[in-house]
Amino acid sequence: MTRLRKMMLEELQRLNYAETTIRHYIHTVEDFARRFNRPPDRLGPRHIREYQAELFQKRKLSPNSVTRHLAALRFFYIKTLKRSWSIAETPYPKWVFHLPTILSQEEVTQLIDAALTPYHRTLLMTLYATGARRAELTHLKVTDIDSQRMVIRIQGGKGRKDRDAMLSPKLLQALREHWRGLRRKPSAWLFPGNRWHTGDTPITTKVVWNACKEAAQRAGLQKDVHPHTLRHSFATHLLEAGADLRTIQILLGHRDLEETTIYLHLSERHLNATTSPLDSLKLKDSSPQEE
């Protein structure tokens, strides 16, 4: 480990950044240094601009991905090197807002039923029933399941925050069957890793990703489906069923209610709350060309 990498890592950990963010920031600075074959503390604004242009033009990254790369470099220069950072010299690209993909409840059913194994089926059910992120799912412990209060404790979520998620009776039954089916009863992790699910470490997020992708392919779904799609679907379906935004915010672990309002754009109940002005026009039954 180089001196600069160690300094940056210590600063990220001291500020309590998430593990995924730490890995991304460290990787970005290493990639930046490799691009110019120099230590990163010997590179300046000109190199950052060239790197940013390459991310766009050669690597074809999205504006949002480029912004995340620049955030990593900005952290390195300001927090690790204690240097200034000029937004004027290295402006962030304009953030692009995309509405997430949402599955209907029928499509969620198809996805879960198409799971490759019972283990994968339980993973998908847990994602949809709790709205958990895939990293949160992998770190669930047996002791996080509270069947008395019918909640699941999600520990160390995004922003290092704990929260309680609902535990549906149907999921509780599935988890009990999952437990009975394990060859070796885990002492800690709800979803233990290795091929036979008998390991002392949890599954990786890649296992969750592959379980979702394989099920989507087997179900013949044409939408771009990944684990986070089930989180978005969970929130949207709650809103359509009448849950208020504040409740959904708490269940998802959003820091700001504004993050949760995205589901107003996705809920059929809100989209269909009024009619299109076109429907109030008294149009002829056919166009002049057809008469």
Side-chain angles (χ1 to χ4, degrees):
M1 181 181 293
T2 65
R3 178 183 60 85
L4 288 174
R5 188 180 190 276
K6 184 174 183 293
M7 289 172 56
M8 184 177 181
L9 180 59
E10 288 175 349
E11 190 67 18
L12 286 163
Q13 292 172 338
R14 188 180 68 82
L15 294 174
N16 205 26
Y17 275 62
E19 287 298 324
T20 52
T21 305
I22 291 175
R23 287 196 297 269
H24 171 69
Y25 277 26
I26 294 291
H27 173 77
T28 297
V29 175
E30 290 174 343
D31 181 67
F32 177 57
R34 280 195 301 269
R35 164 63 181 81
F36 297 98
N37 197 29
R38 290 188 200 173
D41 59 339
R42 293 174 56 191
L43 301 173
R46 177 179 64 83
H47 302 97
I48 296 172
R49 289 194 297 272
E50 288 182 22
Y51 183 68
Q52 181 180 3
E54 182 175 297
L55 294 177
F56 271 121
Q57 297 167 8
K58 292 186 179 180
R59 305 193 193 183
K60 307 299 182 183
L61 297 187
S62 69
N64 297 356
S65 294
V66 173
T67 296
R68 285 189 284 268
H69 280 67
L70 288 179
L73 296 181
R74 184 175 184 270
F75 181 95
F76 174 72
Y77 277 89
I78 293 177
K79 299 295 185 180
T80 305
L81 300 182
K82 310 301 180 186
R83 295 181 185 173
S84 61
W85 176 278
S86 172
I87 295 294
E89 290 189 12
T90 52
Y92 283 8
K94 187 175 180 180
W95 188 264
V96 179
F97 175 75
H98 295 291
L99 285 175
T101 299
I102 300 298
L103 300 179
S104 68
Q105 289 190 301
E106 292 75 17
E107 289 172 324
V108 173
T109 301
Q110 294 172 29
L111 180 75
I112 293 174
D113 285 342
L116 187 63
T117 65
Y119 195 93
H120 284 184
R121 178 184 174 89
T122 306
L123 293 177
L124 298 178
M125 289 180 68
T126 308
L127 282 173
Y128 178 65
T130 63
R133 301 175 179 91
R134 57 177 171 147
E136 296 169 343
L137 176 72
T138 62
H139 286 86
L140 285 177
K141 297 180 178 179
V142 176
T143 52
D144 292 331
I145 309 301
D146 188 342
S147 59
Q148 297 298 314
R149 296 176 55 232
M150 292 302 288
V151 297
I152 297 179
R153 173 60 54 89
I154 296 178
Q155 301 187 55
K158 190 173 182 179
R160 306 286 189 179
K161 294 184 296 184
D162 296 350
R163 70 180 188 278
D164 283 340
M166 62 177 73
L167 173 59
S168 79
K170 188 174 290 186
L171 177 60
L172 178 59
Q173 179 183 348
L175 290 175
R176 284 172 171 165
E177 292 175 0
H178 158 75
W179 173 267
R180 288 193 293 267
L182 291 175
R183 296 187 178 190
R184 173 190 171 195
K185 307 309 178 192
S187 58
W189 306 110
L190 182 61
F191 298 111
N194 84 22
R195 181 179 178 184
W196 305 110
H197 308 300
T198 56
D200 294 324
T201 56
I203 57 171
T204 65
T205 55
K206 186 176 181 180
V207 172
V208 184
W209 180 274
N210 289 339
C212 192
K213 283 294 186 179
E214 289 169 359
Q217 186 175 12
R218 287 163 59 88
L221 299 178
Q222 299 303 309
K223 297 177 179 178
D224 182 22
V225 180
H226 46 80
H228 220 72
T229 305
L230 289 174
R231 176 175 164 87
H232 291 313
S233 301
F234 161 82
T236 304
H237 296 164
L238 280 180
L239 191 61
E240 291 173 347
D244 61 89
L245 281 175
R246 174 58 180 160
T247 299
I248 297 172
Q249 176 195 2
I250 294 171
L251 290 172
L252 293 178
H254 283 166
R255 180 175 55 185
D256 195 314
L257 186 62
E258 187 176 348
E259 293 181 71
T260 317
T261 58
I262 185 177
Y263 299 108
L264 291 173
H265 297 280
L266 302 167
S267 166
E268 288 185 5
R269 179 165 67 90
H270 291 83
L271 291 175
N272 298 326
T274 186
T275 58
S276 167
L278 176 66
D279 296 329
S280 64
L281 301 182
K282 296 181 179 179
L283 300 174
K284 293 181 179 180
D285 292 337
S286 59
S287 63
Q289 289 85 351
E290 295 175 339
E291 293 177 353

